[in-house]
Amino acid sequence: MKFNADVSSSRRKSRKAHFSAPSSIRRKIMSSALSKDLREKYHARSLPVRKDDEVRIVRGKYKGREGKVTQVYRKKWVIHVERVQRDKSNGATSPIGIHPSNVVITTIKLDKDRRAILERKDTKKSQQASGDVEMVE
């Protein structure tokens, strides 16, 4: 059932919006889940993946591999992970793209902007804040 008249539920329009999204929106779409210990620590479920994060691949051929993110390739909707690469016939190696939904972030590269995002997403704090205020009829 559709709740908002301004949002289309058309598959065609949704796909067009997704695949022609600008880089700023692709950043948010290219989010990865946090590992269980990070989830408990920061009270957030996922975070947009970033260059120096450490990730563990949890789906696909490279499942179980861990490494640092070397590149977030927004144009191709993939991330490149350290030591996940294939050897080409000429002897060179090329990185293999992994979709961010198939990885779990194990170590976050923190800076002030990333800390601010985690502070904002902290579900425990928001629950405590809303728990203190009572509605009076």
Side-chain angles (χ1 to χ4, degrees), residues 85-136:
Q85 53 201 13
R86 73 165 356 123
D87 297 324
K88 290 165 50 171
S89 57
N90 66 358
T93 60
S94 68
I96 290 177
I98 308 286
H99 195 272
S101 66
N102 297 330
V103 303
V104 165
I105 299 172
T106 54
T107 310
I108 302 172
K109 180 176 194 289
L110 281 175
D111 57 10
K112 64 176 176 48
D113 296 327
R114 214 91 187 276
R115 265 200 190 84
I117 292 168
L118 286 167
E119 283 288 316
R120 201 169 58 238
K121 289 184 91 163
D122 196 336
T123 52
K124 281 277 197 295
K125 279 187 180 173
S126 61
Q127 284 175 357
Q128 287 172 354
S130 63
D132 294 340
V133 180
E134 291 184 27
M135 295 295 288
V136 179

Side-chain angles (χ1 to χ4, degrees), residues 27-132:
R27 174 184 166 274
K28 192 167 185 183
I29 295 172
M30 291 177 68
S31 291
S32 294
L34 296 178
S35 65
K36 285 195 173 82
D37 52 326
L38 288 178
R39 204 181 299 170
E40 274 183 27
K41 185 177 179 183
Y42 296 110
H43 307 293
R45 189 160 195 86
S46 64
L47 206 61
V49 73
R50 191 200 150 150
K51 187 178 177 185
D52 288 318
D53 288 344
E54 286 182 29
V55 297
R56 183 175 65 250
I57 301 171
V58 292
R59 288 281 181 278
K61 184 179 176 183
Y62 300 97
K63 179 179 183 175
R65 295 258 193 110
E66 290 192 43
K68 193 179 274 197
V69 176
T70 55
Q71 184 184 20
V72 178
Y73 205 150
R74 291 185 193 167
K75 189 174 185 183
K76 289 188 175 182
W77 297 97
V78 295
I79 61 173
H80 292 154
V81 181
E82 213 172 48
R83 296 186 303 278
V84 178
Q85 53 201 13
R86 73 165 356 123
D87 297 324
K88 290 165 50 171
S89 57
N90 66 358
T93 60
S94 68
I96 290 177
I98 308 286
H99 195 272
S101 66
N102 297 330
V103 303
V104 165
I105 299 172
T106 54
T107 310
I108 302 172
K109 180 176 194 289
L110 281 175
D111 57 10
K112 64 176 176 48
D113 296 327
R114 214 91 187 276
R115 265 200 190 84
I117 292 168
L118 286 167
E119 283 288 316
R120 201 169 58 238
K121 289 184 91 163
D122 196 336
T123 52
K124 281 277 197 295
K125 279 187 180 173
S126 61
Q127 284 175 357
Q128 287 172 354
S130 63
D132 294 340

